[in-house]
Structures are given as C-alpha cells and as structure tokens.
Amino acid sequence: MRPQILNPLFRPVTALPGIGPRVGKLVERLAGSKVVDLLWHLPAGLIDRRFAPKIKDAPPGQVATITVTVDKHAKPPNRRVPYRVRVYDETGRIDLVFFNAREDWLMKNLPVGETRVVSGRVEDFRGTRQMTHPDHIALLEERDQLAAVEPVWPLTQGLSPKTLARAIGAALDDLSDLPEWHDPALLKREGWAGWREALRAAQAPQTSDDLSPESKARRRLAYDELLASQLAMALVRAHMRRQGGRKTAGDGRLRRLALAALSFRLTSGQKQALDEIIADMEAPQRMLRLLQGDVGSGKTVVAALAMLAAAEAGRQSALMAPTEILARQHFATLAPLFEAAGLRLALLTGRDRGAPRRATLEALAAGDIAAVVGTHAVIQDDVAYKDLALAVVDEQHRFGVAQRLSLAAKGNAVDVLVMTATPIPRTLTLLAYGDLDVSRLTEKPAGRQAVDTRTVPLKRLGDVVGAVGREIGVSRGAPSGHEPGSVFWVCPLVAESEVSDLAAAEERFAALERVFPGRVGLVHGKMRAAEKDAAVAAFAEGRTRVLVSTTVIEVGVDVPAATVMVIEHAERFGLAQLHQLRGRIGRGGRAATCLLLYAEPLSATARERLKILRETDDGFRIAEEDLRLRGAGEILGTRQSGLPAFRLADLAVHGELMQMARDDASLILSKNPGLAGARGDALRVLLYLFERDAAVGYARSG
Ligand code: ADP
Ligand code: MG
C-alpha cells in the first residue's frame, strides 16, 4: 500500500484549482495525469520582472514592470490598426498596444484614471515607447508579487502560462515534506537540501544557473529518481538471488547434434557467451543474465544451445518473444536444431485455442515437450511445466521486470536469460538491466555484408522507386543475369498517431502497387494475425518483392533475400532504431543497400545522426553517439525504446549520479535488506514516489 503521506501527490491534476476537465487533458498531455507529474514539470527558462523603472528609464528591448496611470483609450478605426491605451507616470508616457483587442475587456482592466502595474517588453515605435500585449496587468497591491523572477515552463498548445503557473503554484503550496531517505552525510557532502525545499527551489529558479541540470536542487531530485530506480532493481535482484538456484548441467550430447546440423560455425563471441551461460546454469546460483547483441548477431542460436543444455539435464526451457511474428520466427530457427537433437519443441501463442492448445499444455505438464517458444501465452496461469529450468526472454525492449519474473515463477529456481537487440551504452545498460549480468555479442557472423547506407532527399523518391524496380527485376534496365532481390519499405513514424502511420503506409503501398502490380505486400499493426502472416510469408517466399510496413516490429523478420531497405522520413526515427532496421538486410551474402530518405531541411543534429549511420555499422558506437547527440532522456523516453524513462535525471549529464545510486543501493540493501526502521520507511516512500511499487514487495521482511 502506498504510504498515506503520498496521497496528495497522486491525486489527479484536476484536483488543483483552475484545472477543470478540459485544461486537465492539456496538462495530462504535457506533464502527466497526477499532481506529482506536474511537480516534476520543471521550468525551462525564466523572465526577470524585478526591473521596475520609471517610464523614462525603461530602455527598449528590456522586460520592465512599470507602475502607470491610465490616460486614455484610442480605439482603432479598423481591425488592421491596433488598439492603443496611453498610460503615464511622472517621468513620461508609454502606449500599451493590443491587436484584435476586445474593448470591454480593456475597459475593465485598464479603466481611465486608475493606477495599474504592467509588465512586458518595452519597445520603441517611431520614437514612441510602447509595450505590445503586456504579459501582466495587475493592481497596485499585487506589485511585489509580480516584480519577481518568473519561471517559464514548457507549454502545450491551448494551455496558458498563467493557468499552468497557478496550478504548479497551488501544488507547491500545499506540499508536505517527505521523510528524508538520503544519508545525512551525503546531503552534507553534496550540499543538498531536503526534498520539498529542493523541489521548490527547482520550480522557482532565480538565475539561469538554477535552470541547469547541474544545479544543487536539480541534482538532488535527479538523484532521488536514480536511487529509486537502482534500489528497485537491487531489490528484484536480491529477491531472485535469495530464491537460490540449482545446477543444471548437461553432457553436451544434444548440443553436439545441433551444432552438426548448423550450416555455419559459431563465432568466438557466440562461443564465449554460450560458455558464460552454461557456467551460470551449472552453478548452484540462479542465472540472471542479459545477452546483448545487434539484430542478426546470432543471439537466438546461442539461446537455442542453452535450451538444449537444459534438455540434456532432462529439464525444460521456454523462450518468450514480444510478438507473434517474432515467436514464429524463433520457432523456425529452433525447430531444425531440436529436430536434430530428436526433441519435441512446441509453439504456443495467443492464437492457439481449444483442443490443440490443451494437447500442448498436457504434453508440457507431462514433460513430453522439451521446450516451448511463444508469446505472452507461455506465462498464462494455466500453463504448467513438468520441470522448467531455463527461461529465455527475447526482450526486444518490450517486457518489463514483472514479465521476466512471471516466466521465472513457472518453475523451480529457473535460470533467466534475457536477450535484447537494443545496443545501449554501458551506463544505460546498468540502468535498464542493472539486475542482470551481461554477455555481449560484438562481432557479426561470417558472411554478413556491411550494408551500403545512403541518405537521399525525399524529393528524389522517383529515382528511388526506379532503383527498387531494377533491384526486384521488373524494370527495364535491370542488368541481365541479375538475381532479383527483395525490398523492405518502412514508412514514416508519425508522432503519436497510429492512424496516420497507417494511412501513410497504405498510401505508399497503393502507389508502389500501381508501379509494380502484384509484387507489393503490406503489413502493419492493425492487421489481423493471419493477414500479417500471409503478407510476411509471401514476402519471405519471394512472391512479393516489396514489403511496405509501418513499425519495427513488423520488420522483425529474417528474409535473407532482402537486399534493400528504404526508410522514409529517416530523420524521425531514433538512431538505434534505424540501425536495428538496417540489420534486417545484408544477411544473404549479397551486397545490401539501405536508403535513408529524409525531408528537407535537415537540422544540424539530424544531419550528423544520419552521417553516423553512413559511417559505422557498430551498434554500440551508434548507441554512444546517439546518447551524445540526443541525451539519454530522448533515448530512454521515446515510445520506441520502452526503457525506463526518467523525469528528472538526464543521463547524459547525471551519469556519475547513476553510478553513485547503484553503489548506494547495494550498500543500503547490504546493511538493511528489509528496509527496516525510519530510514527504511523513508526509502519505501521514495520507491512509491517513483512508482516502483512492485519492488517494495521484495524487501525482505524482518
Ligand atoms: P539475432 O537473434 O541476434 O537477431 P539470429 O540468431 O536470429 O540473430 O541470427 C540471425 C541469422 O544469422 C540467422 O539466420 C542465423 O541462422 C544466422 N547466424 C547465426 N549465427 C551465425 C554464425 N555464427 N555464422 C553464420 N550465420 C549465423
Ligand atoms: Mg533474432
């Protein structure tokens, strides 16, 4: 249960004054739906309104807060001319200028003869001082409040700065302090204030230094967030380790059969990763290992051999993939190896129902099936194993800790191997997978071609279509003897709108189909599973030669004949994502080309990012560069990544805090594994504050 003290923070934003349902929606889009989200929406700038000169001392170009008396209103003769209100003080006069003004509103707020305080940027217009649309028009008694440093928060369309400021102000006003979860020595060393004070300071910057992520207040808040995340991971890890493991040791018999059936030899990287995995399985502790490697680096084969090692010990294994297509693909990779070993392998997805499903479940429970490959279906409640020893989770950055745990809970002290194709920098690995040991596949299997990557402006789309025609062998001009290739065509990711993603893909499909009738397929997330399969199968078998698709997931398909990948609006994709997409081609031993189509004009950063892709094929280097160019918030926060997104920490800046948090978390748990006492209570509050609720349950009681 969440500690009571946090309840006010987890109220909906609409509980704040001035936020009704309409504004609530805007705030939700901007920051989040809860009060705490709004508190973490920190200013991006500030306006200093403390400069309160007389009119004659207010220079053009500067923001000033001036006390004036209203002289007269000059109504414009027509809409093109602005409405002017002349005001003065004892040193001079200035015009307040309003376009598209509402007269009744102006009359009410600036009554002739009365004194008001106005604040805004002073301008010079043909020798006359003026202020266009003052930011504030206030009563004299409000002057002190107004003449201060005003934070500027990032906004969203339709939400006024005043409304947002009022809501954040209200949230800060009735904020109760939280118990201190940090070590006093740390606070002293860093010069950090308590939580509430730090939050208030971060929300009320006085100088531009206060806006920096390096400011004391912001560092403290970032550290809170990082500690919550590292502590949560440490708790999960401790929980998993505590459950103990058991030795699963095979004799190598089945692995030898499978290796003999492979048409290639393992790379030394694959061998090493496999050795690490096997050593973990044979050890009495429980394995919690991450296998990290680019798309196509050969992770699945490594996993398959580990699964066979479990079978040699007479135990079962399961491989869980995030999508139906990937599950089928893994099944196809594993099936010949299990066949060579003389074992039964089952596929289990959400599509299996009724009698066939029951038969699979019975065979699994009886131990007749050595291993199962599937989607979430493999962790359904009614799926039971005779003796599950190894769970492989192909994360493709989709599952969280919870799913990993639920698969592991299907057996006794199950060894867990997580596979990910997201090449993330080391600091981020710590962050996303801090609970795991890591094996990395850094080299490419032999025979893999470097992909020739080019950037092409979208206006040359016609040329691209021509080149595609030559590649797939339907256009005249294709060189004779040219073996037709296959082309992935990835459509733009339109922010936040699956509907428009879809429209773009359908449109492109229709256009290409007109040029290459009968040769083009389409696959997208809204299609029924059977339709998707059919489209992918037709492409894999070469019946269609161009596959238009919307998202990465749909392209998670191994088609060795694919030689070209076209990515529209490449500038909208993450670098790592482009790299992963590109990894889908160049697998068949033939030269492959990736065409990154971009819309002009390209920003300097976008240009540099696309250049990196042209220059290197090393996923880890690309990830480091991406981190440098975009910042971790971007990499971790984008909807593609699915990795934990940070609200307050910026890993490009706070990398060293991350390391500190990791050490701190392990120290805390070694001294106080049950999170007992006052400090323990405070740390629980911290975990709930950052919604690491699930982890709290793993604090050992007593
Ligand atoms: P990942 O799971 O890392 O994306 P896969 O295991 O699916 O990669 O391997 C991609 C392709 O490379 C598969 O067709 C696989 O058979 C092949 N492959 C794997 N290891 C090797 C190797 N050592 N040499 C040649 N081809 C390999
Ligand atoms: Mg794979």
Side-chain angles (χ1 to χ4, degrees):
M1 278 286 284
R2 180 193 302 137
Q4 295 252 337
I5 193 168
L6 292 176
N7 287 349
L9 297 174
F10 284 83
R11 281 176 303 161
V13 285
T14 46
L16 293 168
I19 303 198
R22 190 190 66 82
V23 176
K25 284 228 170 54
L26 296 171
V27 170
E28 185 171 341
R29 180 172 346 127
L30 181 68
S33 61
K34 299 176 297 303
V35 170
V36 68
D37 296 320
L38 202 50
L39 288 171
W40 286 336
H41 188 67
L42 298 180
L46 48 80
I47 300 175
D48 190 345
R49 300 195 186 281
R50 288 174 300 186
F51 181 50
K54 293 292 173 201
I55 290 174
K56 87 166 166 31
D57 301 323
Q62 209 163 323
V63 172
T65 301
I66 314 177
T67 303
V68 297
T69 305
V70 180
D71 179 11
K72 64 178 183 219
H73 284 233
K75 269 177 261 175
N78 60 56
R79 299 291 288 173
R80 280 182 310 249
V81 180
Y83 192 115
R84 289 177 173 267
V85 180
R86 176 147 303 175
V87 300
Y88 63 94
D89 68 6
E90 65 272 27
T91 69
R93 62 181 172 80
I94 184 168
D95 280 355
L96 307 179
V97 178
F98 300 88
F99 292 89
N100 300 318
R102 281 203 8 240
E103 185 181 355
D104 52 343
W105 186 86
L106 288 171
M107 284 297 192
K108 185 165 142 257
N109 284 280
L110 292 165
V112 172
E114 302 226 353
T115 301
R116 289 289 182 273
V117 184
V118 296
S119 185
R121 193 170 299 280
V122 177
E123 301 158 359
D124 177 84
F125 181 72
R126 295 182 187 152
T128 309
R129 291 282 161 84
Q130 66 175 36
M131 187 185 283
T132 307
H133 291 281
D135 301 325
H136 298 277
I137 300 173
L139 300 172
L140 198 52
E141 55 267 34
E142 295 166 330
R143 179 165 57 182
D144 289 349
Q145 230 174 302
L146 189 60
V149 177
E150 184 180 284
V152 178
W153 289 275
L155 285 172
T156 187
Q157 196 173 13
L159 186 64
S160 84
K162 273 176 211 164
T163 306
L164 185 62
R166 192 153 6 99
I168 292 178
L172 287 168
D173 280 346
D174 56 38
L175 197 61
S176 28
D177 206 356
L178 299 177
E180 184 56 66
W181 42 76
H182 292 311
D183 186 0
L186 172 78
L187 296 179
K188 190 150 173 255
R189 193 184 77 213
E190 299 286 337
W192 287 344
W195 177 76
R196 179 170 62 175
E197 201 182 317
L199 188 54
R200 285 189 172 156
Q203 285 289 10
Q206 295 301 305
T207 67
S208 58
D209 280 353
D210 296 342
L211 296 168
S212 156
E214 306 273 26
S215 72
K216 284 200 165 76
R218 290 204 184 200
R219 272 171 64 87
R220 144 116 213 188
L221 298 177
Y223 191 69
D224 290 343
E225 184 169 39
L226 292 170
L227 182 63
S229 126
Q230 286 303 307
L231 190 59
M233 281 203 203
L235 282 166
V236 171
R237 185 187 174 94
H239 168 78
M240 298 286 275
R241 300 259 185 246
R242 239 185 350 260
Q243 296 194 323
R246 53 182 179 148
K247 301 181 186 179
T248 298
D251 54 11
R253 183 172 40 95
L254 302 176
R255 274 170 280 168
R256 272 193 296 279
L257 291 172
L259 282 169
L262 281 178
S263 60
F264 50 78
R265 304 173 81 171
L266 295 187
T267 63
S268 60
Q270 283 172 314
K271 280 199 199 109
Q272 192 191 330
L274 186 61
D275 286 348
E276 288 165 353
I277 293 163
I278 298 293
D280 280 359
M281 290 171 67
E282 290 179 353
Q285 290 84 24
R286 179 170 211 176
M287 171 167 75
L288 294 169
R289 185 168 285 279
L290 176 70
L291 178 58
Q292 204 181 11
D294 266 358
V295 166
S297 59
K299 298 182 293 296
T300 314
V301 179
V302 172
L305 292 164
M307 292 166 81
L308 288 169
E312 287 163 12
R315 294 176 183 159
Q316 290 168 300
S317 55
L319 191 164
M320 177 162 74
T323 67
E324 176 95 28
I325 289 181
L326 282 170
R328 286 178 186 276
Q329 177 132 17
H330 285 319
F331 182 76
T333 307
L334 265 54
L337 303 182
F338 276 73
E339 199 180 338
L343 294 175
R344 241 178 106 185
L345 175 74
L347 177 68
L348 187 63
T349 74
R351 259 192 260 169
D352 297 299
R353 298 223 170 76
R357 179 168 188 275
R358 264 198 310 280
T360 303
L361 295 195
E362 274 164 24
L364 263 180
D368 297 338
I369 290 177
V372 62
V373 178
T375 53
H376 283 89
V378 306
I379 52 171
Q380 296 307 305
D381 283 342
D382 60 346
V383 180
Y385 298 81
K386 175 147 185 277
D387 188 5
L388 182 67
L390 171 65
V392 182
V393 180
D394 183 0
E395 191 130 282
Q396 305 279 353
H397 46 248
R398 279 294 200 84
F399 299 117
V401 171
Q403 279 109 329
R404 268 183 234 158
L405 291 175
S406 36
L407 183 53
K410 292 272 174 194
N412 166 19
V414 173
D415 284 324
V416 178
L417 178 67
V418 179
M419 301 198 288
T420 175
T422 318
I424 44 182
R426 279 184 195 280
T427 40
L428 302 197
T429 306
L430 201 61
L431 161 99
Y433 299 103
D435 53 336
L436 305 174
D437 297 316
V438 180
S439 295
R440 288 181 149 199
L441 295 181
T442 48
E443 57 182 325
K444 301 243 183 314
R448 209 47 64 72
Q449 301 288 315
V451 176
D452 179 13
T453 301
R454 299 181 198 181
T455 48
V456 182
L458 262 172
K459 62 173 190 257
R460 285 183 45 208
L461 188 70
D463 297 347
V464 171
V465 172
V468 164
R470 286 191 295 280
E471 181 63 24
I472 67 175
V474 302
S475 302
R476 266 182 303 245
S480 57
H482 171 88
E483 186 60 30
S486 294
V487 177
F488 282 112
W489 191 298
V490 183
C491 277
L493 202 74
V494 181
E496 328 250 322
S497 164
E498 226 170 286
V499 182
S500 40
D501 280 8
L502 189 57
E506 279 175 340
E507 208 172 293
R508 179 61 63 220
F509 166 73
L512 289 170
E513 175 67 27
R514 275 195 295 279
V515 188
F516 312 122
R519 303 298 187 90
V520 186
L522 173 67
V523 60
H524 58 71
K526 284 274 146 70
M527 278 161 81
R528 275 195 317 244
E531 292 175 312
K532 272 193 223 174
D533 285 356
V536 170
F539 183 63
E541 289 158 20
R543 282 180 280 126
T544 57
R545 285 284 171 183
V546 182
L547 185 65
V548 177
S549 92
T550 40
T551 64
V552 197
I553 308 307
E554 267 59 58
V555 191
V557 177
D558 199 7
V559 179
T563 43
V564 173
M565 174 166 292
V566 179
I567 304 177
E568 275 188 59
H569 282 292
E571 77 281 0
R572 293 185 192 164
F573 289 80
L575 213 46
Q577 201 184 4
L578 289 172
H579 174 66
Q580 284 198 38
L581 283 168
R582 178 172 68 173
R584 292 285 158 202
I585 54 171
R587 292 179 160 211
R590 273 177 58 188
T593 310
C594 177
L595 299 176
L596 303 174
L597 270 50
Y598 62 89
E600 290 168 304
L602 265 189
S603 72
T605 309
R607 187 175 302 279
E608 205 179 329
R609 290 172 60 215
L610 295 183
K611 184 165 152 253
I612 291 163
L613 279 178
R614 280 204 314 262
E615 284 172 356
T616 181
D617 196 29
D618 174 346
F620 291 103
R621 211 202 116 196
I622 289 172
E624 301 283 353
E625 291 289 336
D626 210 15
L627 176 64
R628 185 177 64 77
L629 287 173
R630 290 198 304 164
E634 276 276 317
I635 294 184
L636 298 174
T638 47
R639 66 170 174 165
Q640 304 96 294
S641 81
L643 293 172
F646 285 92
R647 299 293 307 271
L648 301 166
D650 174 353
L651 290 194
V653 184
H654 298 132
E656 115 283 354
L657 287 184
M658 167 86 207
Q659 192 62 52
M660 249 166 74
R662 171 153 167 103
D663 297 345
D664 206 355
S666 49
L667 186 68
I668 289 167
L669 288 192
S670 70
K671 289 201 300 201
N672 186 1
L675 297 183
R679 174 102 196 269
D681 287 342
L683 286 162
R684 283 168 207 267
V685 169
L686 173 69
L687 288 167
Y688 279 108
L689 179 63
F690 287 98
E691 296 176 70
R692 301 296 200 279
D693 302 26
V696 181
Y698 296 121
R700 183 161 54 177
S701 43

